[in-house]
Amino acid sequence: MSAISPQRRLSTAEERRETVLRTAIQAFAARGYYGTTTTEVAKAAGISQAYLYRLFPDKEALFVAVVDHCSARIRECHAEGAAGASSADPAAVLEAMAAAYEGFIEDRDLLRVLLHASCAASEAAIGEAIRTCYARQVEYVRAASGASDAQIRAFFARGLLGNVMTGIDAGSVDAPWARTLTG
């Protein structure tokens, strides 16, 4: 009786690219754009650095792809929130999106990547990527909610404050300033 061995399926370049992006999020979240090497990302992804460079021409392109990936995930989060809104009223849609986002940013790696991207925005391509990320979010929120500019500004102000408070783990601080800003 011969054993039939299952055929090994090789991953496509696109599947490997997605794996590298997920791994790179963790690496860049820990040490930022400037503190992370492509060697670290390749090793964590289980590929050679040469193969990493076949997928992404350089570290900057990899980081920009990570920012784009995070941007797409945020948009999906906002879409899920909007779909679960209790009504089509702009305030209700914004509240549903905000609630979805509050849970979403508990993924601190994704959050830290966005904060690092803002800090590395002096690099032309990274600055363009993070501005595009915010532009896409604003335009999606506008289209999905029908909210006014003032409502959208308040929505993003709340979200950006939430990013900082989550990033510094202010929820674990029992002090008046932390309660004021996280309440």
Side-chain angles (χ1 to χ4, degrees):
M1 180 173 197
S2 65
I4 300 174
S5 63
Q7 281 190 315
R8 187 174 144 211
R9 184 175 143 331
L10 299 176
S11 62
T12 65
E14 191 56 36
E15 288 169 335
R16 186 61 81 172
R17 184 177 163 84
E18 286 297 314
T19 298
V20 170
L21 287 174
R22 285 191 305 275
T23 302
I25 287 171
Q26 294 171 338
F28 285 125
R31 286 175 298 292
Y33 174 70
Y34 297 109
T36 304
T37 67
T38 55
T39 302
E40 293 167 335
V41 174
K43 184 177 179 180
I47 61 173
S48 69
Q49 190 173 20
Y51 190 66
L52 177 73
Y53 283 121
R54 286 180 56 203
L55 297 171
F56 302 94
D58 55 34
K59 183 170 92 168
E60 184 177 73
L62 171 60
F63 192 77
V64 165
V66 165
V67 171
D68 291 346
H69 178 80
C70 291
S71 179
R73 290 193 52 209
I74 293 168
R75 193 222 167 267
E76 291 167 8
C77 167
H78 285 147
E80 289 171 12
S86 61
S87 76
D89 176 64
V93 175
L94 290 175
E95 188 56 39
M97 283 194 259
Y101 186 73
E102 285 172 11
F104 179 76
I105 64 169
E106 291 303 316
D107 177 347
R108 291 179 192 250
D109 285 345
L110 185 137
L111 173 61
R112 286 184 182 119
V113 164
L114 293 175
L115 294 172
H116 284 301
S118 295
C119 293
S122 61
E123 302 292 336
I126 296 169
E128 184 61 29
I130 195 65
R131 286 188 295 274
T132 299
C133 171
Y134 283 112
R136 286 179 180 155
Q137 304 319 314
V138 168
E139 293 313 318
Y140 178 77
V141 168
R142 181 188 320 279
S145 69
S148 69
D149 284 354
Q151 288 173 305
I152 293 168
R153 202 169 20 262
F155 172 83
F156 278 93
R158 176 181 171 188
L160 292 170
L161 177 61
N163 287 353
V164 171
M165 295 296 98
T166 300
I168 66 171
D169 198 18
S172 69
V173 177
D174 185 20
W177 72 267
R179 288 190 297 276
T180 297
L181 294 177
T182 58

